């Protein structure tokens, strides 16, 4: 991964749509790194973390607003959630396989295609209309929740960390998503 590429951890984007678009670019770059990088296992852990935090933040912060403000918002969000569910299942299978499994690369390509198609659908059917139908203040507020989730997530795996607090966003994708959801709700002052 290039040290000069902006990451969502260093951006000062105040608009949630811009922040999510930047995350989509980071996800594409992480797929490239997993496919071609020297430390495939480390790159895959980073990809798992970014995908888990990103999708959970969308589910908790962006999708509820989209349901409310978009014309046909219920259907738009339900379609995105179905795509996300499929991707989560693939991600979980890949996580259990590990990069050394002979079937990993084939399955990674399938996951990549699904995730990138999902991102394009979000950008077209959810993000673009969301920007048009919400105020800057609303989008800044959503950004705070997304950034809170990112800030609480470690940037790399920390082997040997056993405490629940220190390892809050490590482990299998589903566990990362659950812990991220709890952290977002705590940061936003809402209850599940």
């Amino acid at each position: 991964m290039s040290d000069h590429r902006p990451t969502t951890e260093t951006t000062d984007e105040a608009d949630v749509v811009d922040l999510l678009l930047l995350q989509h670019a980071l996800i594409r770059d992480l797929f490239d790194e997993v496919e071609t990088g020297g430390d495939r296992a480390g790159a895959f852990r980073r990809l798992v973390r970014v995908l888990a935090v990103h999708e959970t933040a969308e589910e908790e912060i962006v999708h509820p607003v989209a349901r409310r403000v978009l014309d046909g918002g219920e259907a738009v969000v339900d379609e995105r959630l179905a795509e996300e569910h499929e991707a989560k299942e693939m991600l979980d299978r890949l996580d259990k396989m590990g990069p050394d499994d002979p079937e990993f690369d084939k399955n990674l390509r399938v996951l990549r295609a699904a995730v990138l198609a999902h991102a394009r659908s979000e950008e077209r059917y959810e993000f673009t209309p969301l920007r048009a139908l919400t105020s800057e203040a609303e989008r800044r507020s959503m950004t705070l929740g997304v950034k809170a989730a990112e800030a609480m997530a470690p940037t790399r795996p920390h082997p040997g960390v056993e405490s629940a607090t220190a390892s809050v966003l490590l482990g299998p994708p589903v566990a990362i998503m659950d812990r991220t959801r709890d952290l977002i709700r705590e940061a936003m002052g809402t209850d599940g």
Side-chain angles (χ1 to χ4, degrees), residues 4 10 39 53 97 104 107 114-115 129 132 145 159 180:
H4 304 291
T10 60
D39 179 16
V53 171
M97 264 182 207
F104 183 84
N107 284 283
V115 167
T180 302

Side-chain angles (χ1 to χ4, degrees), residues 55-161:
E55 292 303 332
T56 304
E58 286 178 340
E59 289 171 15
E60 291 294 311
I61 298 163
V62 179
H63 293 333
V65 175
R67 280 188 191 280
R68 190 181 78 243
V69 303
L70 300 184
D71 186 32
E74 290 288 331
V76 168
V77 171
D78 288 347
E79 288 174 22
R80 300 301 72 79
L81 289 173
E83 295 163 359
E84 289 169 12
H85 179 74
E86 181 181 328
K88 286 177 191 176
E89 288 179 349
M90 286 187 270
L91 186 62
D92 190 51
R93 281 193 303 275
L94 273 170
D95 188 56
K96 289 174 182 165
M97 264 182 207
D100 295 330
D101 188 289
E103 295 293 308
F104 183 84
D105 288 336
K106 178 177 77 173
N107 284 283
L108 181 68
R109 286 189 297 275
V110 172
L111 174 65
R112 180 184 185 134
V115 167
L116 297 183
H118 167 73
R120 285 188 301 274
S121 293
E122 279 182 331
E123 291 168 10
R124 180 176 182 182
Y125 300 113
E126 194 169 4
F127 297 174
T128 299
L130 195 64
R131 189 188 312 261
L133 297 170
T134 57
S135 69
E136 285 183 35
E138 288 171 307
R139 292 190 307 279
R140 274 195 305 272
S141 176
M142 287 187 278
T143 299
L144 295 176
V146 173
K147 284 186 174 187
E150 280 186 335
M152 293 178 216
T155 57
R156 61 188 177 280
H158 300 282
V161 176

